[in-house]
Amino acid sequence: MRFQDKVIVVTGGCRGIGKAIVEKFASEGAIVYALDYVIPSESEFDFENKELKNRIKTIQTDVTSEESVRLTFETIIGEQSRIDVLVNNAGITRDNLLMRMTSDQWDAVINTNLKGVFLCSKYVLKAMMPQRSGTIINIGSIVGSIGNAGQSNYSASKAGVIGFTKSLAKEVGSRGIRVNCIAPGFVITAMTEQLTEEQKSDFLKNIPLKRAATPETIANVVAFFASDDADYITGQVLHVDGGLAM
């Protein structure tokens, strides 16, 4: 129970990797706020372990809207008086070749994946700076380091998250706040399940470990970065990709 009664906030926390992160923290005793643009129904977001369910609160939040983010964090701080960990996980894709990419597709990805990280980090610091402690973990992607055809918007947003992580780590380290980035590779989620079997095979043949990650794989690494075991790690980017980006 490494996170007993710690207050954790996870954006994009109601599905995929985000939901796995929420469940991981709740299973280790945390009070977890799952923020998402669309909150699932009670039946979709149910748990056999009722104690787990009691530790998870959901809040509808648009991470691209400063007003929405401000109100969300004011609510959480008002209820808990502190926030110990923020996981910036919310992200979208709008893939297209650059010559065909629209401004709307570019803006949607940059606003969610990069501006959302900026806004949530800005407002969580209103709690973390006075308490002189806290951890921010940004979920990036290996394409922020190696690029990917048809994903110039997504790659740019994730490369921006890497630079943001390192800059913020330098700003707030003296206040006891750590900032790190986890860059997943190929993860089995609803998003990747939309790929054809041929596309999945192409991904897997380039992974040295010859298998994809699960959301739980990423959640375990997030928990490590948030734990006291990582209390001297900040400003780092960890590729969790089976060796794909080597």
Side-chain angles (χ1 to χ4, degrees), residues 36-50:
D36 217 300
Y37 187 69
V38 178
I39 300 299
S41 66
E42 187 79 10
S43 60
E44 292 176 303
F45 205 65
D46 199 11
F47 304 94
E48 290 183 15
N49 185 333
K50 296 306 177 185

Side-chain angles (χ1 to χ4, degrees), residues 73-192:
F73 280 90
E74 285 181 356
T75 297
I76 297 169
I77 295 168
E79 291 178 357
Q80 304 296 338
S81 301
R82 66 181 295 113
I83 298 175
D84 297 291
V85 179
L86 167 66
V87 183
N88 282 310
N89 167 75
I92 63 170
T93 58
R94 297 288 185 272
D95 296 351
N96 215 337
L97 295 174
L98 187 64
M99 290 293 290
R100 299 174 184 169
M101 186 175 292
T102 67
S103 292
D104 286 345
Q105 289 174 323
W106 176 272
D107 290 344
V109 170
I110 296 297
N111 285 339
T112 299
N113 298 6
L114 186 54
K115 183 182 178 182
V117 171
F118 152 66
L119 289 174
C120 292
S121 299
K122 174 182 175 179
Y123 282 94
V124 82
L125 288 177
K126 293 183 180 295
M128 291 182 176
M129 292 289 275
Q131 70 197 31
R132 301 186 72 86
S133 68
T135 301
I136 297 173
I137 301 165
N138 299 321
I139 305 300
S141 169
I142 61 164
V143 303
S145 298
I146 66 175
N148 196 33
Q151 288 193 310
S152 58
N153 50 1
Y154 188 74
S155 298
S157 71
K158 295 303 186 179
V161 167
I162 291 173
F164 178 90
T165 297
K166 293 177 178 293
S167 296
L168 186 58
K170 291 182 177 181
E171 282 187 29
V172 300
S174 62
R175 293 296 187 103
I177 300 167
R178 298 186 295 110
V179 189
N180 290 294
C181 178
I182 293 170
F186 184 45
V187 184
I188 300 170
T189 64
M191 187 183 297
T192 56

Side-chain angles (χ1 to χ4, degrees), residues 12-22 36 89 187-190 215-216:
C14 290
R15 52 190 52 80
I17 293 172
K19 185 179 180 185
I21 294 169
V22 167
D36 217 300
N89 167 75
V187 184
I188 300 170
T189 64
E216 290 71 26

